[in-house]
Amino acid sequence: FQCGRLIYPERTSRDANRYVLGGAYATPLGSESTTVLYAGAYAGSEQARDSSATYIGNTLFGGRLGGEMKLNDEYTLLASLSLESRKYGGDDPLFLVKRNDTQADLKVGINYMPAQKWTIGANLAYTSNDSNVVINKYERTLFSISVRRDFN
């Protein structure tokens, strides 16, 4: 279960409370396998804090499939595909329709562990958001490099 408050300091009419409940399952491909596959699903709602801004709130549901394949002690491949549907609560004040979005994300990457507790990751992510409100329809590609140090 996840709950959060979205706060927009200069546009408080967009502030909302978000509630999401979901679950996931992961399994190795076999007893000796270092490849793990996972699947998850969730549903929730985002509720506008301003009762006159119902077009901000939405109900959502989605799912994710993915996996990790350990190539050796240093390298791990990662991939995931997710899909989320959002149906908004009120008519958009500019377009006079209830907004509906479907967002798809595809992510691929590789992690490199040069030393114990250190990970360097390179990831490529593609997002496509389809919407019946044209200004909310977009595609995005993002490449990122991260460095992580674990302290446990």
Side-chain angles (χ1 to χ4, degrees):
F1 178 71
Q2 177 187 57
C3 63
R5 179 171 285 174
L6 305 175
I7 298 172
Y8 299 88
E10 296 185 22
R11 303 262 328 260
T12 58
S13 64
R14 298 190 63 83
D15 290 356
N17 294 326
R18 184 175 169 100
Y19 307 96
V20 179
L21 178 65
Y25 177 76
T27 185
L29 281 183
S31 61
E32 301 295 318
S33 178
T34 58
T35 299
V36 175
L37 300 178
Y38 63 85
Y42 60 92
S45 70
E46 198 169 290
Q47 300 167 356
R49 293 182 46 82
D50 179 348
S51 61
S52 68
T54 57
Y55 63 95
I56 298 295
N58 64 75
T59 57
L60 59 106
F61 63 92
R64 181 176 315 168
L65 300 172
E68 295 185 10
M69 180 189 310
K70 190 169 184 172
L71 299 176
N72 55 39
D73 288 341
E74 295 176 328
Y75 291 96
T76 303
L77 294 177
L78 316 160
S80 69
L81 175 65
S82 60
L83 190 66
E84 180 175 290
S85 176
R86 294 180 298 273
K87 302 209 179 298
Y88 289 77
D91 286 352
D92 182 286
L94 296 177
F95 294 93
L96 305 177
V97 295
K98 286 186 180 180
R99 180 176 156 194
N100 295 313
D101 290 4
T102 301
Q103 180 175 317
D105 295 285
L106 174 63
K107 298 176 185 175
V108 293
I110 188 166
N111 283 345
Y112 168 60
M113 293 184 66
Q116 191 174 17
K117 298 187 178 187
W118 285 94
T119 304
I120 300 170
N123 294 283
L124 182 64
Y126 170 76
T127 299
S128 174
N129 192 70
D130 189 28
S131 180
N132 66 327
V133 177
V134 68
I135 64 170
N136 294 300
K137 186 175 186 174
Y138 65 90
E139 293 182 358
R140 170 179 62 213
T141 303
L142 177 67
F143 177 73
S144 63
I145 295 177
S146 61
V147 178
R148 185 179 85 203
R149 166 75 160 91
D150 292 323
F151 293 96
N152 54 2

